[in-house]
Amino acid sequence: MSDTPFGFGLPPEEPENGDEGKKKDPAGGGQGSGGNPFGANPFGFGGLPGMGGPAGADNPFAAMFGSLNPNDLGAAFQQLGQMLSYEGGPVNWDMAKQIARQVVAQGTADGTKDASVGPAEKSAVEEAVRLADLWLDEVTSLPSGANTAVAWSRAEWVEATLSAWQQLVDPVAERVGSAMGDVLPEEMQAMAGPLIGMMRSMGGAMFGQQIGQAVGALAGEVVGSTDVGLPLGPAGRAALLPLNIEAFGKDLGVPSDEVRLYLALREAAHQRLFAHVPWLRAHLFGAVEGYARGIKVDTSKLEEAVGQLDPTHPEQLQEALQQGMFQPEDTPQQKAALARLETALALVEGWVDAVVHEAAKSRLTSADALRETLRRRRASGGPAEQTFATLIGLELRPRRLRDAARLWASLTDARGVDGRDGLWEHPDMLPTATDLDDPDGFVHREHLDFSELDKMLGEAAKGDAPERPESGDDEK
């Protein structure tokens, strides 16, 4: 579990090689390479003349204003207007999209800039997905789920996945937004309407900034539309990011076409699962929402922040949130919700891992190495897991993924492809978190359970008492 569930951690330090403006503001100002274009804290006003505090003193708006260049100042005031005029849901998604696009435009830490996808890259992706689907036909009973194959730039990935992030994040943000309006006594809420409205507007902007930064950074490293084990892109569209695939395979010593094909297998396998298990998407997103319902807000901290809120220093609210204002409830219901979500994600990723390995192991000489590379990427806290933890306070434990992959492999050996894939017919048929601890035991217990059920049904149909041994057809 992340200690800072929605990413309200301390702002990162500026790089030592920043420009003079950044050196003067080590607490988070300035636009560093790959950093937040609006600073680590977007709500400071201290850098404005007459608003208190020296310019650049722990104040990201001072970073936005820079040396008060007229063009920069105009852009900063435009951004401020967007913050305070926002009247939508718990997250300002227009701001999130804007910041994500700006982070993408800055490029990744290695200096790689986003670029439009060319015809040759599009053709290579289409061919890889087509071949991947042919191979998968032999190892799963689920038919192809990809109607089209597309090659995305990083900016296109942001555009295509933002609606899914909204569905994931809004339930958590809603909990905090509701708490903002509940901290004032009832008799004061009518009088404090403008203040509550301003707080909610800033809260929406604050979440938008956090999410935009995270999604923009993730766009620089994902290789497809299903890296977090969830269907983030449009249904039926297998998507790969050629620029990021090239970066992923750069130091692996594996031919680029093999890297592309292996990642296409993973993307196509995800698409099959989400296309032909109709309840799965709602099950996963519902598990996220159920987990979010258990988030509680420390109202004492929020009340203190509201009571001390200075209209000229609204960054105080951000500082309060950075200190851990909301955490998951430590209740049996919340623990069960977390277990359901972790288990569901592990089962999806484990099934994909198992079927892709089965399809690739005899065809790609690098299959084992690529499989282990992706597993280690997860184990070391890869970008997908880190972003997921930042946005909803969840870390997908790599141990669960490995256990799930072993379980699906055991089911294949014991029941064949059809028997394995048949478990996706209903969520109640899937293994539980306890079953992941003993995959082989689950396989054998399931056979025993079904046998006992058949016996009981047969005895009931013959009118025999359950404790009596079977006596043939004499009583018929």
Side-chain angles (χ1 to χ4, degrees), residues 8 26 155 192 218 248 261 263 266 272 301 338-339 358 393 409 459:
F8 297 112
L218 184 58
F248 172 80
L261 184 50
L263 295 175
R266 288 183 54 82
R272 288 182 180 231
K301 287 186 178 181
L338 177 61
E358 186 66 24
E459 289 171 343

Side-chain angles (χ1 to χ4, degrees), residues 146-204:
N147 301 323
T148 57
V150 294
W152 282 342
S153 66
R154 293 166 179 170
E156 288 173 324
W157 182 89
V158 169
E159 295 281 351
T161 64
L162 209 58
S163 61
W165 289 115
Q166 182 173 354
Q167 189 174 353
L168 284 168
V169 173
D170 271 353
V172 180
E174 183 65 44
R175 297 287 293 176
V176 178
S178 297
M180 286 182 176
D182 294 339
V183 295
L184 293 177
E186 235 177 271
E187 62 272 14
M188 292 182 59
Q189 289 191 13
M191 299 173 57
L195 175 60
I196 294 175
M198 184 182 74
M199 288 173 57
R200 286 179 172 166
S201 294
M202 289 193 305

Side-chain angles (χ1 to χ4, degrees), residues 74 105 119 201 203 219 289 366 438 440:
S201 294
E289 187 173 353
S366 57
D438 184 17
D440 294 331

Side-chain angles (χ1 to χ4, degrees), residues 2-79:
S2 172
D3 292 333
T4 54
F6 216 92
F8 297 112
L10 295 176
E13 296 181 359
E14 285 291 344
E16 293 182 357
N17 62 347
D19 57 27
E20 284 301 311
K22 296 174 192 172
K23 291 178 182 177
K24 293 178 182 178
D25 183 12
Q31 291 189 37
S33 175
N36 180 359
F38 301 107
N41 180 338
F43 307 113
F45 292 86
L48 287 175
M51 297 297 279
D58 194 19
N59 183 343
F61 261 2
M64 285 178 64
F65 298 154
S67 58
L68 295 182
N69 177 285
N71 292 332
D72 293 339
L73 185 58
F77 274 118
Q78 182 181 12
Q79 187 71 27

